[in-house]
Amino acid sequence: MNRINYQSVMEQEIAMLQEQNRVPRLLLHSCCGPCSSFCIKSLSDYFYVTVYYYNPNIYPPEEYALRAKEQERFIKEFPTKYPVSFVEGRFDPQEFYQCVKGLENLPEGGERCFRCYQLRLEDTVKYAKENKFDYFTTTLSISPLKNAQKLNEIGGELANAYGVPYLFSDFKKKDGYKQSTLIAKEYDMYRQYYCGCIFSKKQRDEEIAKKQSETTA
């Protein structure tokens, strides 16, 4: 099966908007400030961006609050062509735990993560529809650890279901992830060492402990 180059799809969509002299409203779901940095830089030249911070998966609550605060700070400090605003969604971890029930022991990157993508993107498209946004998308594809193919499949399905266009994208392309790390460093942003949920934290902690054990052995 031929994989779609979603970065190219996004560039074609933006080129069409420029030809039409349109500056649409885009709801950008964000997982954290560092991941959003390059996405905001890329998109704010062509859209009125609202960053939607909806992440009930993040553990513990203190981590959630820290990431939300850093997200809001970055938006206030980062210069953009068109204004970027911030909306914080509700934080109810039980929504996440109910969503992934029965999949707790799966490794990162599998079906549990796909359920989490679905949960967060569906809440995003609902907000986009209620508030009359022209597009919605997510920062998640900027991570080398996230499945961009699956993210875009879910986004496309939700777009059809709710009638709000999904901005297909793969922000890690063209050194997007590398650029996000550089921007995060420039703005002295807090950068977490695990994806977000309790399961990813446990897996990452075990990997770190194993590596330390091997180093000292």
Side-chain angles (χ1 to χ4, degrees), residues 199-210:
F199 311 113
S200 66
K201 185 178 188 303
K202 180 182 177 183
Q203 181 174 319
R204 186 70 181 124
D205 286 344
E206 289 173 351
E207 292 169 353
I208 292 171
K210 181 180 179 182

Side-chain angles (χ1 to χ4, degrees), residues 10-123:
M10 182 180 74
E11 290 172 354
Q12 291 172 27
E13 186 75 10
I14 288 173
M16 180 197 71
L17 293 172
Q18 287 186 291
E19 288 177 3
Q20 298 173 351
N21 291 318
R22 289 179 58 203
V23 184
R25 296 174 67 231
L26 168 69
L27 188 65
L28 173 65
H29 166 264
S30 176
C31 56
C32 64
C35 284
S36 77
S37 60
F38 177 70
C39 304
I40 290 172
K41 179 182 179 182
S42 301
L43 296 170
S44 59
D45 281 348
Y46 311 105
F47 298 90
Y48 293 107
V49 177
T50 295
V51 173
Y52 187 56
Y53 186 79
Y54 170 70
N55 299 291
N57 58 307
I58 296 178
Y59 172 89
E62 294 80 8
E63 177 75 15
Y64 168 89
L66 179 56
R67 295 191 195 190
K69 184 178 179 181
E70 279 293 85
Q71 177 69 83
E72 194 166 12
R73 177 178 73 86
F74 175 74
I75 291 170
K76 288 178 179 177
E77 295 179 3
F78 189 71
T80 57
K81 179 177 179 180
Y82 294 110
V84 176
S85 56
F86 174 76
V87 172
E88 184 174 354
R90 66 193 176 281
F91 179 58
D92 182 357
Q94 289 306 314
E95 292 182 359
F96 169 69
Y97 292 125
Q98 186 61 37
C99 173
V100 301
K101 190 174 182 179
L103 305 175
E104 294 88 348
N105 295 321
L106 292 182
E108 284 291 287
E111 184 60 33
R112 186 182 66 238
C113 292
F114 298 164
R115 293 270 189 93
C116 187
Y117 298 169
Q118 177 81 29
L119 173 68
R120 290 187 279 173
L121 280 172
E122 186 156 16
D123 194 85

